[in-house]
Structures are given as structure tokens and as C-alpha cells.
Coordinates of all heavy atoms in Angstrom, one line a residue:
M1 N 136.7 150.9 83.7 CA 137.0 150.8 82.3 C 138.0 151.9 81.9 O 137.8 153.1 82.0 CB 135.7 151.1 81.4 CG 134.8 152.0 82.1 SD 133.3 152.2 81.2 CE 132.2 152.7 82.4
P2 N 139.2 151.4 81.5 CA 140.3 152.3 81.1 C 140.0 153.1 79.9 O 140.3 154.2 79.8 CB 141.5 151.4 80.9 CG 140.9 150.0 80.8 CD 139.5 150.0 81.3
K3 N 139.4 152.5 78.9 CA 139.2 153.2 77.6 C 137.8 152.8 77.1 O 137.2 151.8 77.4 CB 140.2 152.6 76.6 CG 141.5 153.4 76.6 CD 142.4 153.0 75.5 CE 143.7 153.7 75.6 NZ 144.6 153.2 74.5
G4 N 137.3 153.8 76.2 CA 136.0 153.5 75.6 C 136.1 152.3 74.7 O 135.1 151.6 74.4
D5 N 137.3 152.0 74.3 CA 137.5 150.9 73.4 C 137.1 149.5 74.0 O 136.5 148.6 73.4 CB 139.0 150.8 73.0 CG 139.1 150.1 71.7 OD1 138.2 149.4 71.3 OD2 140.2 150.4 71.0
G6 N 137.4 149.4 75.3 CA 137.1 148.2 76.0 C 135.6 148.0 76.3 O 135.2 146.9 76.5
T7 N 134.9 149.0 76.3 CA 133.5 148.9 76.7 C 132.7 148.3 75.5 O 131.7 147.6 75.8 CB 132.9 150.3 77.0 OG1 133.8 151.0 77.7 CG2 131.6 150.2 77.9
G8 N 133.1 148.6 74.3 CA 132.3 148.1 73.2 C 132.1 146.6 73.1 O 131.0 146.1 73.3
P9 N 133.2 145.9 73.0 CA 133.2 144.5 72.9 C 132.5 143.8 74.1 O 131.7 142.9 73.9 CB 134.7 144.1 72.9 CG 135.4 145.3 72.4 CD 134.6 146.5 72.9
I10 N 132.7 144.3 75.3 CA 132.1 143.7 76.5 C 130.6 143.9 76.4 O 129.8 143.0 76.7 CB 132.7 144.3 77.7 CG1 134.2 143.9 77.9 CG2 131.9 143.9 79.0 CD1 134.9 144.7 78.9
R11 N 130.2 145.1 76.1 CA 128.8 145.4 76.0 C 128.1 144.5 75.0 O 127.0 144.1 75.1 CB 128.6 146.9 75.7 CG 127.7 147.5 76.7 CD 127.6 149.0 76.4 NE 126.3 149.5 76.5 CZ 125.8 150.5 75.9 NH1 126.7 151.3 75.1 NH2 124.6 150.9 75.9
G12 N 128.8 144.4 73.9 CA 128.1 143.6 72.8 C 128.0 142.1 73.0 O 127.0 141.5 72.8
S13 N 129.0 141.6 73.6 CA 129.0 140.1 73.8 C 128.2 139.7 75.0 O 127.7 138.6 75.1 CB 130.5 139.6 74.0 OG 130.9 139.8 75.3
G14 N 128.1 140.6 76.0 CA 127.3 140.3 77.2 C 125.9 139.8 76.9 O 125.5 138.7 77.1
P15 N 125.0 140.8 76.4 CA 123.6 140.5 76.2 C 123.5 139.3 75.1 O 122.6 138.5 75.3 CB 123.1 141.8 75.6 CG 124.1 142.8 76.0 CD 125.4 142.1 76.1
G16 N 124.3 139.3 74.1 CA 124.2 138.3 73.1 C 124.4 136.9 73.7 O 123.6 136.0 73.4
M17 N 125.4 136.7 74.5 CA 125.6 135.4 75.1 C 124.5 135.0 76.0 O 124.0 133.9 76.0 CB 126.9 135.5 75.9 CG 128.1 135.1 75.1 SD 129.6 135.1 76.2 CE 129.5 133.4 76.8
G18 N 124.0 135.9 76.8 CA 122.9 135.6 77.7 C 121.7 135.2 77.0 O 121.0 134.2 77.3
R19 N 121.4 135.9 75.9 CA 120.2 135.6 75.2 C 120.3 134.2 74.5 O 119.4 133.4 74.6 CB 120.0 136.6 74.0 CG 118.9 137.5 74.3 CD 118.5 138.3 73.0 NE 117.6 139.4 73.3 CZ 117.2 140.2 72.4 NH1 117.6 140.1 71.2 NH2 116.4 141.2 72.7
G20 N 121.4 133.9 73.9 CA 121.6 132.6 73.3 C 121.4 131.5 74.2 O 120.7 130.5 74.0
M21 N 122.1 131.6 75.4 CA 122.0 130.5 76.4 C 120.6 130.3 76.9 O 120.1 129.2 77.0 CB 122.9 130.8 77.5 CG 124.4 130.5 77.2 SD 125.4 130.9 78.6 CE 125.2 129.4 79.5
G22 N 119.9 131.4 77.2 CA 118.6 131.3 77.7 C 117.6 130.7 76.7 O 116.8 129.8 77.0
R23 N 117.8 131.1 75.4 CA 116.9 130.6 74.4 C 117.1 129.1 74.2 O 116.1 128.3 74.2 CB 117.2 131.2 73.1 CG 116.2 132.4 72.8 CD 116.3 132.7 71.3 NE 115.5 133.9 71.1 CZ 115.4 134.5 69.9 NH1 116.2 134.1 68.9 NH2 114.6 135.5 69.7
G24 N 118.4 128.7 74.2 CA 118.6 127.3 73.9 C 118.1 126.4 75.1 O 117.4 125.4 74.8
G25 N 118.3 126.8 76.3 CA 117.8 126.1 77.4 C 116.3 126.0 77.4 O 115.7 124.9 77.6
R26 N 115.6 127.0 77.1 CA 114.2 127.1 77.1 C 113.6 126.2 76.0 O 112.6 125.5 76.2 CB 113.7 128.5 76.9 CG 113.4 129.1 78.3 CD 112.3 130.1 78.2 NE 112.2 130.7 79.6 CZ 111.8 131.9 79.8 NH1 111.4 132.7 78.7 NH2 111.6 132.4 81.0
M27 N 114.2 126.3 74.9 CA 113.7 125.5 73.8 C 113.7 124.0 74.1 O 112.8 123.3 73.8 CB 114.5 125.8 72.5 CG 113.8 126.9 71.7 SD 114.7 127.0 70.1 CE 113.5 126.2 69.1
G28 N 114.9 123.6 74.7 CA 115.0 122.2 75.0 C 114.0 121.7 76.0 O 113.3 120.7 75.8
G29 N 113.8 122.5 77.0 CA 112.8 122.2 78.0 C 111.4 122.2 77.5 O 110.6 121.3 77.8
S30 N 111.1 123.2 76.7 CA 109.7 123.3 76.2 C 109.4 122.1 75.3 O 108.3 121.6 75.3 CB 109.5 124.6 75.4 OG 109.5 125.7 76.3
K31 N 110.4 121.7 74.5 CA 110.1 120.6 73.5 C 109.7 119.3 74.3 O 108.9 118.6 73.9 CB 111.4 120.4 72.7 CG 111.1 120.7 71.3 CD 112.3 120.4 70.4 CE 112.1 120.8 69.0 NZ 113.2 120.5 68.1
A32 N 110.4 119.1 75.4 CA 110.1 117.9 76.1 C 108.7 117.9 76.8 O 108.0 117.0 76.8 CB 111.2 117.7 77.2
G33 N 108.4 119.1 77.4 CA 107.2 119.2 78.1 C 106.1 119.6 77.1 O 105.0 119.0 77.1
A34 N 106.3 120.7 76.3 CA 105.3 121.2 75.4 C 104.0 121.5 76.1 O 102.9 121.2 75.6 CB 105.1 120.2 74.3
G35 N 104.0 122.1 77.3 CA 102.8 122.4 78.0 C 102.5 123.8 78.1 O 101.7 124.3 77.2
P36 N 103.0 124.6 79.0 CA 102.6 126.0 79.2 C 102.9 126.9 78.0 O 102.0 127.6 77.6 CB 103.5 126.4 80.4 CG 104.6 125.4 80.5 CD 104.1 124.1 79.8
G37 N 104.0 126.7 77.3 CA 104.3 127.6 76.2 C 103.5 127.2 75.0 O 103.2 128.0 74.2
G38 N 103.3 125.9 74.8 CA 102.6 125.4 73.6 C 103.5 125.3 72.5 O 104.8 125.4 72.6
E39 N 103.0 125.0 71.3 CA 103.8 124.8 70.2 C 103.2 125.5 69.0 O 102.0 125.8 68.9 CB 103.9 123.3 69.8 CG 104.9 122.6 70.6 CD 105.0 121.1 70.2 OE1 103.9 120.5 70.1 OE2 106.1 120.6 70.0
C40 N 104.1 125.9 68.0 CA 103.6 126.5 66.8 C 103.9 125.4 65.7 O 104.9 124.7 65.7 CB 104.4 127.7 66.5 SG 104.2 129.0 67.8
V41 N 103.0 125.3 64.8 CA 103.2 124.3 63.7 C 103.1 125.0 62.3 O 102.4 126.0 62.1 CB 102.1 123.2 63.8 CG1 100.7 123.9 63.7 CG2 102.3 122.2 62.7
C42 N 103.9 124.5 61.4 CA 103.9 125.1 60.1 C 102.8 124.5 59.3 O 102.7 123.2 59.2 CB 105.3 124.8 59.4 SG 105.3 125.2 57.7
P43 N 101.9 125.3 58.7 CA 100.8 124.7 58.0 C 101.2 124.1 56.6 O 100.4 123.4 56.0 CB 99.9 126.0 57.8 CG 100.8 127.1 57.8 CD 101.9 126.7 58.8
K44 N 102.4 124.4 56.3 CA 102.9 123.9 54.9 C 103.6 122.6 55.0 O 103.2 121.7 54.3 CB 103.8 125.0 54.3 CG 104.0 124.8 52.8 CD 104.8 126.0 52.3 CE 105.0 125.8 50.8 NZ 105.9 126.9 50.3
C45 N 104.5 122.5 55.9 CA 105.3 121.3 56.0 C 105.1 120.5 57.3 O 105.6 119.4 57.5 CB 106.8 121.6 55.8 SG 107.6 122.4 57.1
G46 N 104.4 121.1 58.2 CA 104.1 120.4 59.5 C 105.2 120.4 60.5 O 105.1 119.8 61.5
T47 N 106.2 121.2 60.3 CA 107.3 121.4 61.3 C 106.7 122.1 62.6 O 106.0 123.1 62.5 CB 108.4 122.2 60.8 OG1 109.0 121.5 59.6 CG2 109.5 122.4 61.8
T48 N 107.0 121.5 63.7 CA 106.6 122.2 65.0 C 107.8 122.7 65.7 O 108.8 122.1 65.7 CB 105.8 121.2 65.9 OG1 106.7 120.1 66.1 CG2 104.6 120.7 65.2
V49 N 107.6 123.9 66.3 CA 108.6 124.5 67.2 C 108.0 124.9 68.5 O 106.8 125.2 68.5 CB 109.3 125.7 66.5 CG1 110.0 125.3 65.2 CG2 108.3 126.8 66.2
A50 N 108.8 125.0 69.5 CA 108.3 125.4 70.8 C 107.9 126.9 70.7 O 108.6 127.7 70.2 CB 109.3 125.2 71.9
H51 N 106.7 127.2 71.2 CA 106.2 128.5 71.1 C 107.0 129.4 72.1 O 107.2 128.9 73.3 CB 104.7 128.6 71.5 CG 104.2 130.0 71.6 ND1 103.8 130.6 72.8 CD2 104.0 130.9 70.6 CE1 103.3 131.8 72.5 NE2 103.4 132.0 71.2
Q52 N 107.4 130.5 71.7 CA 108.2 131.4 72.5 C 107.3 132.5 73.2 O 106.5 133.1 72.5 CB 109.3 132.0 71.7 CG 110.4 131.0 71.4 CD 111.5 131.7 70.6 OE1 112.0 132.8 71.0 NE2 112.0 131.1 69.6
R53 N 107.5 132.7 74.4 CA 106.7 133.7 75.2 C 106.8 135.0 74.5 O 107.9 135.5 74.2 CB 107.3 133.7 76.6 CG 106.4 133.0 77.6 CD 106.8 133.4 79.0 NE 106.4 132.5 80.0 CZ 106.9 132.5 81.2 NH1 107.7 133.5 81.5 NH2 106.5 131.6 82.1
G54 N 105.7 135.6 74.3 CA 105.7 137.0 73.8 C 105.8 137.1 72.3 O 105.7 138.2 71.8
I55 N 105.9 136.0 71.7 CA 106.0 136.0 70.2 C 104.9 135.2 69.6 O 104.9 133.9 69.8 CB 107.4 135.4 69.7 CG1 108.5 136.2 70.4 CG2 107.5 135.5 68.2 CD1 109.9 135.6 70.0
P56 N 103.9 135.8 69.0 CA 102.9 135.1 68.4 C 103.4 134.1 67.3 O 104.4 134.4 66.6 CB 102.0 136.1 67.7 CG 102.4 137.4 68.3 CD 103.8 137.3 68.8
C57 N 102.7 133.0 67.2 CA 103.2 132.0 66.2 C 103.3 132.6 64.8 O 104.2 132.3 64.1 CB 102.2 130.8 66.2 SG 102.4 129.7 67.7
F58 N 102.3 133.4 64.5 CA 102.3 133.9 63.1 C 103.4 134.9 62.8 O 103.6 135.2 61.7 CB 100.9 134.5 62.7 CG 100.5 135.6 63.7 CD1 101.0 136.9 63.5 CD2 99.6 135.3 64.7 CE1 100.7 137.9 64.4 CE2 99.2 136.3 65.6 CZ 99.7 137.6 65.4
E59 N 104.1 135.3 63.9 CA 105.3 136.1 63.6 C 106.5 135.3 63.5 O 107.6 135.9 63.2 CB 105.4 137.1 64.8 CG 104.4 138.3 64.7 CD 104.8 139.4 65.6 OE1 105.9 139.3 66.2 OE2 104.0 140.3 65.7
M60 N 106.4 134.0 63.7 CA 107.6 133.2 63.6 C 107.6 132.5 62.2 O 106.6 132.2 61.7 CB 107.6 132.1 64.7 CG 107.8 132.7 66.1 SD 107.6 131.4 67.3 CE 109.0 130.4 66.9
A61 N 108.8 132.4 61.7 CA 108.9 131.7 60.4 C 109.4 130.3 60.6 O 110.2 130.0 61.5 CB 110.0 132.5 59.5
C62 N 108.8 129.4 59.8 CA 109.2 128.0 59.9 C 110.7 127.8 59.6 O 111.2 128.4 58.6 CB 108.4 127.2 58.8 SG 109.0 125.5 58.7
P63 N 111.4 127.1 60.5 CA 112.9 126.9 60.3 C 113.2 126.1 59.1 O 114.3 126.0 58.6 CB 113.3 126.3 61.6 CG 112.1 125.6 62.1 CD 110.9 126.5 61.7
N64 N 112.1 125.4 58.6 CA 112.3 124.4 57.5 C 112.0 125.1 56.1 O 112.8 125.0 55.2 CB 111.5 123.2 57.7 CG 111.8 122.1 56.8 OD1 113.0 121.8 56.6 ND2 110.9 121.4 56.3
C65 N 110.9 125.8 56.0 CA 110.5 126.3 54.8 C 110.2 127.8 54.8 O 110.0 128.4 53.7 CB 109.3 125.6 54.2 SG 107.8 125.9 55.2
G66 N 110.2 128.4 56.0 CA 110.1 129.9 56.0 C 108.7 130.4 56.1 O 108.4 131.6 56.1
T67 N 107.7 129.5 56.1 CA 106.3 129.9 56.1 C 105.9 130.3 57.5 O 106.5 129.9 58.5 CB 105.4 128.7 55.7 OG1 105.8 128.2 54.4 CG2 103.9 129.1 55.8
G68 N 105.0 131.2 57.6 CA 104.5 131.7 58.9 C 103.9 130.6 59.7 O 103.1 129.8 59.1
M69 N 104.2 130.5 61.0 CA 103.7 129.4 61.8 C 102.3 129.7 62.3 O 101.9 130.9 62.3 CB 104.6 129.1 63.0 CG 106.1 129.0 62.6 SD 106.5 127.6 61.7 CE 106.5 126.4 63.0
V70 N 101.6 128.7 62.7 CA 100.3 128.9 63.3 C 100.2 128.2 64.6 O 101.0 127.2 64.9 CB 99.1 128.4 62.4 CG1 99.1 129.2 61.1 CG2 99.3 126.9 62.1
R71 N 99.3 128.6 65.5 CA 99.2 127.9 66.8 C 98.7 126.5 66.6 O 97.7 126.3 65.9 CB 98.2 128.8 67.7 CG 98.3 128.3 69.1 CD 99.5 129.0 69.8 NE 99.7 128.4 71.1 CZ 99.8 129.1 72.2 NH1 99.7 130.4 72.1 NH2 100.0 128.6 73.4
K72 N 99.3 125.6 67.4 CA 98.9 124.2 67.2 C 97.6 124.0 68.0 O 97.4 124.5 69.0 CB 100.0 123.3 67.8 CG 99.9 121.9 67.3 CD 101.1 121.1 67.8 CE 101.1 119.7 67.3 NZ 102.2 118.9 67.8
Ligands
LIG1 ZN1 107.5 124.7 57.1

């Protein structure tokens, strides 16, 4: 690295890109299978989302109405 200036942008975009790609791929796969990860459902509007590892359903907000999700 020639300058501290160049480290910033690279460092910032690296993890962000990896996270986004990983999340998208997992969500698509989980939705189709809906097995090991399970699903979270919104008690208000019934929207279901793929449960994410390490994140309890009640800590997730419904993408539709913002209500806390519950385990399906
Ligand atoms: Zn909802």
C-alpha cells in the first residue's frame, strides 16, 4: 500500500461486498429449502423470512411492516 489513502476504500468495500453476496445467496437457498435454518413469521401481517443463523427471530424486523418476527 503506497498511501494510507488507498487502504480506506479497499478495507471498507471488501467486507461489505462479501457480506452482501453471502447473505443474498443464503437467503435464496434457505427460502427454497426452509429446513435447517427455519423461518421467521410476522405475527401481524404473516410475512415469512428465512431465519438467519445467530439472529433470533424476535430480533428481526418484518420487512413489510417492521414488527418483530417470531419463530414459525
Ligand atoms: Zn409484518
Side-chain angles (χ1 to χ4, degrees):
M1 32 181 155
K3 274 186 181 178
D5 206 339
T7 323
I10 291 167
R11 232 177 135 201
S13 79
M17 271 185 84
R19 252 196 193 177
M21 280 182 81
R23 261 196 184 175
R26 266 210 182 152
M27 264 188 106
S30 288
K31 245 185 182 179
E39 279 182 312
C40 302
V41 60
C42 172
K44 198 172 179 184
C45 72
T47 298
T48 57
V49 297
H51 177 248
Q52 288 182 42
R53 258 196 203 167
I55 304 177
C57 286
F58 56 81
E59 279 193 12
M60 292 176 65
C62 171
N64 194 39
C65 70
T67 301
M69 311 290 282
V70 295
R71 191 80 189 236
K72 199 177 183 182

